[in-house]
Amino acid sequence: MDTQDQHHRGPLRPRLIAAAGVAALTLSAGLATPLNPAPQQAQAKETKKVLTVAVAQSVDSLSPFLASRLVSTSIHRLMYEYLTNYDPADNHAIPGLATKWEPSADKLTWTYTIRSNSKWSDGQQATAEDAAWTFNKMMTDDGAATANGSFVANFKKVTAPSATRLVIELKKPQATMAALDVPIVPKHVWEKVGDFSKFNNDKSFPIVGNGPFVLTDYKADSYVRLKPNKSFWRGAPKFDELVFKYYKDGDAAVAALQKGEVSFVSGLTPAQSAALESERNIKVNDAPGRRFYALATNPGAQAKDGKRFGDGAESLLNQKVRQALFLSIDRQTLIDKVFQGHAVAGEGYIPPRFSTYFWKPSASQTMAYDPAKAAKLLDQAGYKKNGDGKRVEKNGKPINYRILCHATDPNDKAVGQYVKEWFGKLGIGVTLNCLDNVTDPWLAGKYDLAFDGWSVNPDPDFVLSIHTCAALPATAKDTGATDNFICDKKYDALYDQQLAEYDTAKRTDLVKQMESRLYDTGYMNVMAYPNAVEAYRTDQIKSIETMPKAAGNIYGQDGYWSWWSAVPAGSSGASSDGSDSTGVIIGIVAGVAVLVGAGVFFAMRRRSTAEDRE
């Protein structure tokens, strides 16, 4: 759905993503707007440098305990430090709030040294107690575990013996201890919260954090406004303000970029990208992305208590039917006609950008485009054509699959038309259900198929966890971390093994076995790995770093590097990197306005509404 869709985010849960646009906006002198209620005089020598990011995805929640969509988790990376971060050059783990981390001999106890030079934006010192409180709250409160509970499910005990020492005791080995993608929050602020499942962190501003930016204002379905954290330990960002602005229409965001009203837009369609290539003062970035684009199957929505709910088609419970649908989709046609070369054909669950975990099916395993074989499988499964050439469910009604489609994603609509044609040749009807809000029917299990996508992190644990039985909602009325209700015992056993495996080669093999299992069961039909296609104004952005540095994305990074190190055009300053390994030099427009739509606040899943989680 997330992302991410992680936890759409995902769906995303990110934890993954038509994508959201990012745009930097320099407000015209003398022009009053909702973001600039007090117009500045044209004669003013000093203008406020604002970086505006146009996004096509709404914020699900400003609470880091609930958020799953990429736009939301990206903002949380700007607001709060994690224990560790990812190097922007090659994704290896580097210090964040923790300066170092060491396991015991049996690897069941991990000790983190918490830096002494990180302060909350209200002036209080950030300590190990804040981290211990964050993890303990997630371990003891189901509401607080909504978005990132999988990271602490194996924790036995978390303590803070001193202000700079955090100790985490595990039930069994856990390979993700240098990749705990959990925002650490200030205990003195969050211990006052009552119901974590309903608190969205969107009523009182500024919001206290210790990241490079402080969130100062928010309006649902409109914008998120942030300012530099002057006490950030790596050094304050260069822009005076960062704003994420919500654009429901991608063409409108591109038009704003062309007029100089925004500085950065992501999630470009092939037509938009082509149009911007020749524009003066605009640079297009087209690089391998961190997302996958898939058609997800409703396997029979269920809760942990074993109760089924929703109204998914009974025929989709049959593995041969799901595999037949796999075989009926011509991935290369989608790459050529829909993505027009700005993607590569999908296979395994993890994109090729993450080469360590990227998996390809064997020649004998591959479910390549083969309509004849698909028809044969449907016949074998007992779903033969009737006299009208239609395949029917066991109840005698013609099969007509409802496909959840994101109304703001042009790729969904285009791919949907091809799928409708291909399924039609098999005798299967299709109804495209394109909605602004796919979350409600998704969580209720009221769909047959759904366009899905997640942004994958350098460590794949999170996007793997959203397909475990443990991610299911406790009851039909609750919200779990699941992407689309998959619960497979063989997959779960492999998940547990990979999580406990510290040997990289052995863990990699287990992860690939999990991808193979997902592929064979047919629950997740990965159709493409879209490129990150984005553009920015060079007369506003002096320089900006991609992640990875060689060829990567700007928006939705595994960290805060792009916006933190951005340098406005006309500035002689370079990135003030006080860290041990960023090497990031980013120049960006005169001003960042981050506008983000709100929508359903605790629909968690980085479902691909454009960009899903992290």
Side-chain angles (χ1 to χ4, degrees), residues 162-342:
S162 72
T164 59
R165 188 164 172 254
L166 175 73
V167 179
I168 300 178
E169 297 178 40
L170 304 173
K171 300 172 186 175
K172 58 185 178 181
Q174 181 169 325
T176 61
M177 298 307 287
L180 297 173
D181 293 323
V182 176
I184 303 302
V185 302
K187 174 185 176 182
H188 66 281
V189 173
W190 283 83
E191 64 183 353
K192 301 171 186 176
V193 174
D195 189 344
F196 274 70
S197 68
K198 297 180 179 179
F199 180 73
N200 286 303
N201 199 28
D202 61 349
K203 303 301 181 186
S204 180
F205 304 101
I207 295 175
V208 178
N210 63 340
F213 291 90
V214 177
L215 198 153
T216 59
D217 195 15
Y218 165 73
K219 183 177 180 180
D221 296 312
S222 185
Y223 64 83
V224 174
R225 191 195 305 264
L226 304 99
K227 291 184 178 180
N229 179 359
K230 299 298 184 181
S231 63
F232 184 53
W233 68 272
R234 286 189 192 273
K238 299 274 189 299
F239 280 90
D240 298 319
E241 192 169 45
L242 172 65
V243 180
F244 288 97
K245 180 179 180 179
Y246 177 65
Y247 283 87
K248 183 176 180 180
D249 183 78
D251 288 335
V254 170
L257 180 74
Q258 293 172 315
K259 290 185 289 186
E261 294 175 347
V262 300
S263 305
F264 185 96
V265 176
S266 70
L268 299 174
T269 65
Q272 292 168 342
S273 174
L276 293 174
E277 286 282 2
S278 59
E279 290 273 351
R280 186 183 174 208
N281 296 326
I282 291 179
K283 179 178 175 61
V284 174
N285 179 52
D286 187 348
R290 54 184 285 233
R291 293 187 61 80
F292 63 78
Y293 182 79
L295 185 62
T297 303
N298 181 346
Q302 62 179 310
K304 288 180 183 177
D305 61 10
K307 293 184 178 180
R308 297 273 181 174
F309 57 93
D311 58 4
E314 182 182 358
S315 55
L316 291 174
L317 301 179
N318 191 303
Q319 183 174 345
K320 287 185 177 180
V321 172
R322 298 193 298 269
Q323 291 177 335
L325 300 185
F326 238 105
L327 292 163
S328 69
I329 291 177
D330 186 349
R331 289 163 178 70
Q332 196 55 50
T333 291
L334 298 181
I335 300 304
D336 296 339
K337 301 297 185 180
V338 177
F339 294 97
Q340 297 181 30
H342 298 277

Side-chain angles (χ1 to χ4, degrees), residues 172-175 349-350 356-359 365 459-461 464-465 468 488-519:
K172 58 185 178 181
Q174 181 169 325
Y349 187 62
I350 296 174
T356 299
Y357 298 106
F358 177 60
W359 169 86
Q365 184 181 18
D459 188 291
D461 179 75
L464 297 173
S465 73
T468 61
D488 178 78
K489 297 301 183 182
K490 290 183 179 179
Y491 179 90
D492 275 19
L494 290 168
Y495 176 80
D496 290 343
Q497 290 177 56
Q498 68 80 29
L499 183 60
E501 183 55 71
Y502 287 107
D503 183 280
T504 301
K506 292 180 180 178
R507 185 179 181 221
T508 297
D509 179 65
L510 289 165
V511 168
K512 290 182 177 180
Q513 288 184 52
M514 295 175 70
E515 295 183 77
S516 178
R517 179 65 181 170
L518 274 180
Y519 185 88

Side-chain angles (χ1 to χ4, degrees), residues 119-139:
K119 288 188 176 181
W120 298 109
S121 53
D122 62 2
Q124 292 199 36
Q125 183 71 33
T127 70
E129 181 59 30
D130 294 304
W133 185 88
T134 299
F135 290 129
N136 277 305
K137 175 56 66 172
M138 292 169 62
M139 293 163 61

Side-chain angles (χ1 to χ4, degrees), residues 27 210 250 267 269 385 422 441 558 611:
L27 297 173
N210 63 340
T269 65
K385 290 183 178 180
W422 292 328
D558 297 294
E611 294 137 16

Side-chain angles (χ1 to χ4, degrees), residues 9 86 110 449:
R9 328 25 181 25
Y86 298 105
W110 287 73
L449 300 163

